[in-house]
Amino acid sequence: MKRLVLLLALLAVLAGSGYYLGTGLRKEARPEDVIPASASLVLAWDNPVAAYQSFRRTPLGTRLRGIDWAGVLADLEMDEALSKTILKQIPQIDRLATSSLAREFFSRRVFVTLLPARETGTGSGSIRKQFVVVTEPAHPARMFELLDTVVAPGPGAVMEQYQGRTIRKYPLAHKLTLYVTRIDGLLLGSLDPVPLRRCLDENLARLTRSRTGLANNSGYAALIKKGGPARDVFFYADSSGIANLAAAALLAGADRKVDLESLRGFLAPLECGALFLDRGREVRRLTTVLRLDPVRLSPLAQNLLARRPVINRKTSVMPADLVVYFWSNWLDLPAWWQKIPGPKAREIEAAVLEQSGLSMDAFFSLFGEEFGFNVAEIRTSGFVPVPRICLCVELRDRQRLAALLDTRLKGLPLRREKVAGGEIVSLMAAGGLMQPSYALLEKFLIVADGRDQIDAILPATVSPASRSARLADDPDFIQVDVGMMKPANVIFFARISRLVPGLKEFASWGSILLSIWDKEAARKSQILVDRIVHPLLDGLSMFRALALRGTVQGRDLVWQAGLSRERSKLRESDHR
């Protein structure tokens, strides 16, 4: 009887094990499950083919395709071999991105990952052999048939077996080889078989482990939670992945050695980072998370990142009709002062002492941590584009600064007006036609191009001129809002469509200025400005407004951005 019970128990265990293994085998693999946890870089993109096609139809994409690259490169007198390479690759990229092959393999989720060299057995100069591409083909049952037809017509692919799976080998141009394998409905490709074997090892581990792949990468798992569930593009990298990728790019761009250790040292404070992009029809949402090691940060960075996010109450009184608005609580004049080279620092120190009678330490002690500025417009009617700027700086010693300003401006034609919370002082230049002004209001120094800009940011109870609409109530601001009225360390807002004309003028003016020192450099600069920079800036006018908010959250520096499109440009691209 005991033997019968033991036999039945053994059969139950075997049946349970078989069921467990069977259900594990039947579970469809996801890209995240088979990419090894050691991956130092991961790019996940939902339907890149559709994204590229959509971009081609936008004003920016149209402008980019309309550039006469052959003429530009010839006029710039670029190296002939390099020019031929560039001109050959531009149409190839476009043909590949719009081909039937791309639609088959890149019209769903696509993962591109970089594995460490120590796991792939490749040298530091063979980074392309450390990459693995994982796709979800539109027709998994026909994936190899299509590859045999397009990539290796004729005898077909050479095959090898590993972990019960087939790895197919396709010869490519430039003595390269494409290795491809399949896991359930996924297609995996690499220029070396070893990364594919690592992915197959990870897939086999799914039979005995409940969690495999990127779920075991602590940095990846932690940061992906920060971005929320919805995303069209996700990018993750640790410092070694970024260093290796940067080194490979530098090696490809120049015939010189790259000090990889120095590059890694520069990136040492960054443990890992992630980027999330959601492509809304009217508003793009972008989140970037940088996880930092506080111990490896510079003293300046440690000080800035130790500052807690605060609510910027100035945002609520900003006028609606602004081109640019910026604010931050990362002002640290003593630390920034230490970054200035010795000779220049001594020159500035002497000038401050002469003008104010204060040492640099005493001068810096006047100011606090918050500062910001806004641009009401960029005047482009004159020879030089001139932005109308209003600057705001937090004060620690308002009375001492007021006395210092009174001393320096004594004898000049001034107009003073007392208002609630302080005083507004205007310099009556050119008979009053120009009135650069400053105000000491509450705990802030405000300096502006004109008195009207200060009036515009006063509370409505103080100045009738400030009763106009506020930025916080503006439809453009609301549409791209990423928590701009919440605690933050950095806030930035810009109306792109109104900023572009000024940027074009600055670019042209820069070329004119360059001609004073170097005629040939100015000639080439003008070619770049007229035939590349200006068209691309015109394309950027498809965007209406940009909002950016930066916050320190423990060890993480989080950037959130919203980017809206011009409604007329949306209609144009929809009908193309």
Side-chain angles (χ1 to χ4, degrees), residues 8 75 120 146 157 166 184 211 236 309 311 346 432 505 529 532 547:
L8 291 174
D75 289 344
T120 59
L146 183 59
T166 300
D184 298 337
R211 190 174 69 176
Y236 165 83
I311 294 176
R346 287 190 292 272
E505 289 295 327
V529 168
I532 295 182

Side-chain angles (χ1 to χ4, degrees), residues 536-574:
L536 293 182
L537 286 174
D538 286 335
L540 285 176
S541 63
M542 65 181 273
F543 297 111
R544 187 173 183 85
L546 167 69
L548 177 68
R549 173 173 172 252
T551 56
V552 177
Q553 300 178 14
R555 294 168 54 205
D556 297 338
L557 179 57
V558 181
W559 297 94
Q560 297 170 287
L563 182 64
S564 64
R565 294 180 60 181
E566 286 282 2
R567 294 169 183 82
S568 60
K569 305 299 182 183
L570 276 171
R571 290 192 292 271
E572 288 175 16
S573 59
D574 286 346

Side-chain angles (χ1 to χ4, degrees), residues 318-372:
M318 286 296 129
D321 195 27
L322 294 177
V323 179
V324 172
Y325 174 58
F326 172 86
W327 169 91
S328 176
N329 70 342
W330 280 348
L331 181 63
D332 190 340
L333 292 177
W336 292 358
W337 170 250
Q338 299 301 321
K339 300 294 183 180
I340 300 177
K344 187 65 177 177
R346 287 190 292 272
E347 181 181 334
I348 296 173
E349 187 173 13
V352 169
L353 182 63
E354 179 183 354
Q355 295 295 322
S356 67
L358 299 176
S359 67
M360 294 306 296
D361 289 341
F363 180 73
F364 291 149
S365 69
L366 301 176
F367 303 99
E369 299 178 349
E370 296 185 36
F371 73 108

Side-chain angles (χ1 to χ4, degrees), residues 518-531:
D518 191 328
K519 297 292 185 183
E520 180 59 18
R523 182 189 71 82
K524 292 182 177 181
S525 173
Q526 196 63 51
I527 292 171
L528 290 172
V529 168
D530 291 342
R531 298 165 67 179

